Structure formats: structure tokens, C-alpha cells
Amino acid sequence: MLATFLHSPTGIFHLTAALLAMLFGALTFYTEKGSLRHKQVGYVYVAAMVVVNVTAFQIYALFNRFGPFHGAAIWSSISILLGMVPVILKRPGNGKWLHLHYYFMNWSVVGLYAAFWAESLVRLFPIQYFWPVVVLATVGTVVIGARLIRRHKDRLVNQAIQSKPTIEPVRA
């Protein structure tokens, strides 16, 4: 199945965009929040995720119809949209938009990594373990992601606030 996937231009675009999104999604954590570099890296991440999600809707090799991974692509698209709208509109005010941006964008990265681990690990196990492996990889990634998101929220949101002195610190 992987060989078929990689012989498809759509599959190659999907894989390439996913790898770029993983790289730039991780890089956003290491750039100073609110900086020009963070914005540039973030926009590359968003563009790559748009390609990942659009190409996901063109891949039907696994179920030969709309499947659960297409539903995940819808959820991913909504997460990206809900993470970017507050940045563009700067709403809600008083810096609360930063919290929305932080949560939705971080969850989009967690979803991307959950898909990566699920996709990678199912290749190591016989097909009869497909769903247990997908579920365990996804749940494991989500649990780790939730802990990291919660642990770093105050520091990272406040870092963004510090880079913009007109925004008041907000406690969620």
C-alpha cells in the first residue's frame, strides 16, 4: 500500500507537505513568540497544513470511500482556521486571542504528530493490529501533547505578550 501511495503524485505531495508541516510546526516552538521569525515559520506551517488537508481529501486507497482519516482532516482544517482567525482579527481583545491561537495551533500540531505516529507504527505491525495501533498511537500522542500544551501555556503566551507591550497579560 505504501508503494502505491508513493507512486501517486497526490501521495507524494501529501507526504512532502506533512514532513514540512512537522518540521515547521516543531520550529514554531523554538522561535520567539510574536517575532517576525515566529510569524514566518508559522505561515509556512499553515501553508503546508493546507496542502496536507487538501491532499488528504484526494486519497481514498485505504477505505475506497470517505473514511475516518478524512474526518481527521476536517478537524485539522477547523483547528488551523480557529487558530489563525484570532491572529488576523486580534479578537477577542485584551490578549485573549493569544490563548485561542496558542491552543488551536498547538492542537493542530499534536494532531499532525498523532497522524505521523499512527501512520508510521501501523507499518511495523500485521494488518490485523491496524486499529489498535492507530488508537494507541493517537491516544499516546494526545496525552503527551496535552501535558506539554498545559505545561508551557503561561510561559509561551506571556512571551508573546512581552513582545507586544500594548497587550495586557491574561490569566486563563
Side-chain angles (χ1 to χ4, degrees):
M1 181 164 42
L2 179 62
T4 304
F5 181 75
L6 291 179
H7 282 100
S8 153
T10 302
I12 292 169
F13 281 126
H14 183 76
L15 177 63
T16 302
L19 293 172
L20 279 172
M22 288 175 61
L23 172 65
F24 282 87
L27 285 175
T28 61
F29 293 114
Y30 296 104
T31 58
E32 182 183 344
K33 307 307 168 249
S35 70
L36 177 60
R37 175 68 58 202
H38 179 77
K39 292 174 187 176
Q40 292 169 332
V41 169
Y43 281 121
V44 173
Y45 169 75
V46 169
M49 284 303 295
V50 167
V51 173
V52 168
N53 290 329
V54 167
T55 56
F57 292 114
Q58 300 170 14
I59 299 171
Y60 289 89
L62 191 58
F63 297 104
N64 294 321
R65 61 181 169 78
F66 188 90
F69 302 113
H70 296 107
I74 290 170
W75 185 250
S76 173
S77 298
I78 290 169
S79 180
I80 294 290
L81 182 66
L82 292 176
M84 289 306 297
V85 167
V87 169
I88 294 165
L89 299 178
K90 303 290 191 266
R91 298 275 188 271
N94 294 334
K96 291 180 183 176
W97 64 270
L98 283 168
H99 289 273
L100 294 173
H101 175 68
Y102 175 81
Y103 280 114
F104 282 110
M105 296 311 287
N106 277 291
W107 279 110
S108 76
V109 173
V110 169
L112 174 65
Y113 274 88
F116 166 78
W117 285 116
E119 176 69 23
S120 298
L121 292 175
V122 296
R123 308 270 177 214
L124 301 176
F125 294 92
I127 192 69
Q128 67 262 29
Y129 299 113
F130 179 85
W131 284 113
V133 169
V134 167
V135 169
L136 286 173
T138 301
V139 169
T141 305
V142 166
V143 167
I144 292 168
R147 290 182 136 190
L148 291 171
I149 289 169
R150 199 173 317 115
R151 178 184 302 154
H152 297 289
K153 177 189 66 94
D154 290 336
R155 179 179 60 82
L156 294 176
V157 170
N158 284 330
Q159 182 184 74
I161 290 169
Q162 298 305 321
S163 73
K164 303 208 181 303
T166 59
I167 300 172
E168 296 293 321
V170 178
R171 299 282 180 221

